[in-house]
Amino acid sequence: MMVPTTNTLVLITGVTGHIGFKTLLFALNSGFTVRAAVRSNSKAQNILNHPKIQSLAPGPRLTFITVPDLTAPHAYDAAVEGVTHIIHIASPLRISSGTDDEIPLNEQDAYFIQPAIRGTTSMLDAAHASQTVRRIVITSSLTALIPFDALVGDAPLPAEPITPASRVELTEGPYLNEFEAYAASKVAALAHAEEWLASHPSRQFDCIHLHPGFVQGRNELATSAREVFGGTNKLVLGMVLGKTFEAPIAGATVHVDDVARIHVQALSPFVPGDMGYILSQATEWDDAKTFVSKHFGGAVEKRVVPNTGHIETTRVNVDNGLTEDVFGRLAGFEEQVKSVVGHYVELRMKGMARRKRESKRPAAQQEAVRHAIATV
């Protein structure tokens, strides 16, 4: 782990998201001074008010800078002033809920692809102009390394293991759904970043790309059981709550704690730069039900988690050997399931207890009134 100095200042983007907030906590716990880029002052205040942040009492070690539009020209110029390291997590991602409409097909490029490209190259431009940045850690995705049709089981996977050096060509839209558009945005961002880096051989910083699989684990920003479903947590939770997914899903997952840890550890000069690292391990999705029965049997009996769904697994041969050599062992799927399902059960039980108290309150109040009248 890198030992922070008084001259070390880390810019982190995406701190209002699942991965970003966890990374922020890890960075502060590790002693770093952080400047967090947010889109509004209200989002900064929400972070400052979070119990996890307040318990750390970071004081001047945590400051904020507002970047309303991450894709605007020179968006990060002010944000990188005096910064020595950057963790760039922010990315355009909008997964529709049941009440939201998906992005129209003719707007996918404008919503996903171009913002991903501009957000990445804008950060690289700003870092190069600053002359103070020494390393950038960029959150990519495993979807940038595997052809999308193979990822979802519509085509054979490559015969060779997926490594950090694997690459796929960007396919033109329109895309079938937002997940495919998101995957394409990661392919495009990685390609343009590598083109930028190759064209600036005299730059004063190096760059690390991290490629997580489906991120699972406790979302510290979620305050209700419903909010735990954000992002890719909805895969495990959906299944154990009884959903059967129509299409197969690649069996490649990673614990959010590992993702956050490695983002911060990657700042160390002892970690080789201008490299990519895969953050993922092989997963059989239906194993989640075995782990839920093992660790949350009471919740299963009470039907808090029916544990009856199904996801067909597309087996992906991912080589994470380099990652574990450099950063240590990645937590297995059992730990991931315990983290996300445990959080869901915790919040669900709290919600049930609260509703029970509230349902009893009117009767208690009525009894108090009757008692008062009787004693007059």
mmCIF file of all heavy atoms in Angstrom, residues 62 70 111 118 127 146 186 188 231 256 261 305 325:
data_model
loop_
_atom_site.group_PDB
_atom_site.id
_atom_site.type_symbol
_atom_site.label_atom_id
_atom_site.label_comp_id
_atom_site.label_asym_id
_atom_site.label_seq_id
_atom_site.Cartn_x
_atom_site.Cartn_y
_atom_site.Cartn_z
ATOM 1 N N LEU A 62 -10.718 15.960 3.164
ATOM 2 C CA LEU A 62 -11.741 15.749 2.151
ATOM 3 C C LEU A 62 -12.322 17.077 1.726
ATOM 4 O O LEU A 62 -12.921 17.802 2.529
ATOM 5 C CB LEU A 62 -12.864 14.852 2.688
ATOM 6 C CG LEU A 62 -14.075 14.657 1.757
ATOM 7 C CD1 LEU A 62 -13.647 14.029 0.430
ATOM 8 C CD2 LEU A 62 -15.150 13.815 2.429
ATOM 9 N N LEU A 70 -19.459 16.454 -16.902
ATOM 10 C CA LEU A 70 -18.191 15.726 -17.004
ATOM 11 C C LEU A 70 -17.658 15.650 -18.424
ATOM 12 O O LEU A 70 -16.487 15.335 -18.638
ATOM 13 C CB LEU A 70 -18.369 14.299 -16.471
ATOM 14 C CG LEU A 70 -18.960 14.144 -15.070
ATOM 15 C CD1 LEU A 70 -19.006 12.665 -14.690
ATOM 16 C CD2 LEU A 70 -18.177 14.937 -14.048
ATOM 17 N N TYR A 111 -25.806 9.441 -25.661
ATOM 18 C CA TYR A 111 -25.935 9.282 -24.221
ATOM 19 C C TYR A 111 -24.814 8.438 -23.623
ATOM 20 O O TYR A 111 -24.344 8.719 -22.516
ATOM 21 C CB TYR A 111 -27.279 8.627 -23.875
ATOM 22 C CG TYR A 111 -27.653 8.789 -22.423
ATOM 23 C CD1 TYR A 111 -28.489 9.800 -22.005
ATOM 24 C CD2 TYR A 111 -27.139 7.918 -21.438
ATOM 25 C CE1 TYR A 111 -28.828 9.948 -20.677
ATOM 26 C CE2 TYR A 111 -27.458 8.063 -20.112
ATOM 27 C CZ TYR A 111 -28.307 9.086 -19.729
ATOM 28 O OH TYR A 111 -28.620 9.240 -18.401
ATOM 29 N N ARG A 118 -15.476 11.407 -24.328
ATOM 30 C CA ARG A 118 -15.097 12.773 -23.938
ATOM 31 C C ARG A 118 -14.701 12.847 -22.471
ATOM 32 O O ARG A 118 -13.759 13.557 -22.114
ATOM 33 C CB ARG A 118 -16.258 13.731 -24.214
ATOM 34 C CG ARG A 118 -16.532 13.959 -25.706
ATOM 35 C CD ARG A 118 -17.402 15.186 -25.908
ATOM 36 N NE ARG A 118 -18.687 15.050 -25.248
ATOM 37 C CZ ARG A 118 -19.781 14.542 -25.823
ATOM 38 N NH1 ARG A 118 -19.708 14.103 -27.068
ATOM 39 N NH2 ARG A 118 -20.921 14.468 -25.159
ATOM 40 N N ALA A 127 -4.970 16.267 -17.028
ATOM 41 C CA ALA A 127 -3.826 15.748 -16.284
ATOM 42 C C ALA A 127 -2.518 16.120 -16.962
ATOM 43 O O ALA A 127 -1.536 16.493 -16.300
ATOM 44 C CB ALA A 127 -3.945 14.224 -16.159
ATOM 45 N N ILE A 146 -14.369 -8.452 -23.774
ATOM 46 C CA ILE A 146 -15.081 -9.629 -24.271
ATOM 47 C C ILE A 146 -16.142 -9.190 -25.267
ATOM 48 O O ILE A 146 -16.923 -8.281 -24.979
ATOM 49 C CB ILE A 146 -15.759 -10.396 -23.122
ATOM 50 C CG1 ILE A 146 -14.740 -10.757 -22.041
ATOM 51 C CG2 ILE A 146 -16.452 -11.652 -23.631
ATOM 52 C CD1 ILE A 146 -15.361 -11.388 -20.807
ATOM 53 N N LYS A 186 -17.654 1.369 -22.937
ATOM 54 C CA LYS A 186 -16.392 0.990 -22.298
ATOM 55 C C LYS A 186 -15.341 0.589 -23.337
ATOM 56 O O LYS A 186 -14.152 0.881 -23.182
ATOM 57 C CB LYS A 186 -16.639 -0.146 -21.310
ATOM 58 C CG LYS A 186 -17.380 0.276 -20.049
ATOM 59 C CD LYS A 186 -16.609 1.332 -19.294
ATOM 60 C CE LYS A 186 -17.208 1.640 -17.942
ATOM 61 N NZ LYS A 186 -16.436 2.689 -17.204
ATOM 62 N N ALA A 188 -15.216 1.808 -26.373
ATOM 63 C CA ALA A 188 -14.816 3.054 -27.017
ATOM 64 C C ALA A 188 -13.883 3.867 -26.123
ATOM 65 O O ALA A 188 -12.870 4.415 -26.589
ATOM 66 C CB ALA A 188 -16.057 3.877 -27.370
ATOM 67 N N GLY A 231 -27.526 -0.839 -9.584
ATOM 68 C CA GLY A 231 -26.396 -1.420 -10.292
ATOM 69 C C GLY A 231 -26.523 -2.918 -10.466
ATOM 70 O O GLY A 231 -27.613 -3.476 -10.574
ATOM 71 N N VAL A 256 -17.298 -5.645 -4.235
ATOM 72 C CA VAL A 256 -17.087 -4.196 -4.292
ATOM 73 C C VAL A 256 -15.939 -3.769 -3.382
ATOM 74 O O VAL A 256 -15.227 -2.797 -3.683
ATOM 75 C CB VAL A 256 -18.389 -3.437 -3.938
ATOM 76 C CG1 VAL A 256 -18.780 -3.642 -2.479
ATOM 77 C CG2 VAL A 256 -18.255 -1.946 -4.247
ATOM 78 N N ARG A 261 -10.621 -1.372 -2.865
ATOM 79 C CA ARG A 261 -9.251 -1.569 -2.362
ATOM 80 C C ARG A 261 -8.222 -1.447 -3.469
ATOM 81 O O ARG A 261 -7.194 -0.754 -3.322
ATOM 82 C CB ARG A 261 -9.170 -2.951 -1.690
ATOM 83 C CG ARG A 261 -7.770 -3.418 -1.351
ATOM 84 C CD ARG A 261 -7.786 -4.775 -0.667
ATOM 85 N NE ARG A 261 -8.271 -5.857 -1.513
ATOM 86 C CZ ARG A 261 -7.508 -6.554 -2.352
ATOM 87 N NH1 ARG A 261 -6.218 -6.251 -2.499
ATOM 88 N NH2 ARG A 261 -8.006 -7.560 -3.060
ATOM 89 N N VAL A 305 -36.369 -13.747 1.715
ATOM 90 C CA VAL A 305 -35.699 -14.070 0.451
ATOM 91 C C VAL A 305 -36.162 -15.468 0.042
ATOM 92 O O VAL A 305 -35.678 -16.467 0.591
ATOM 93 C CB VAL A 305 -34.157 -13.994 0.556
ATOM 94 C CG1 VAL A 305 -33.663 -12.568 0.490
ATOM 95 C CG2 VAL A 305 -33.650 -14.661 1.839
ATOM 96 N N ASP A 325 -1.484 -11.602 -8.224
ATOM 97 C CA ASP A 325 -0.053 -11.502 -7.935
ATOM 98 C C ASP A 325 0.295 -10.119 -7.384
ATOM 99 O O ASP A 325 1.116 -9.991 -6.465
ATOM 100 C CB ASP A 325 0.768 -11.767 -9.196
ATOM 101 C CG ASP A 325 0.816 -13.242 -9.576
ATOM 102 O OD1 ASP A 325 0.443 -14.081 -8.729
ATOM 103 O OD2 ASP A 325 1.196 -13.543 -10.722
#
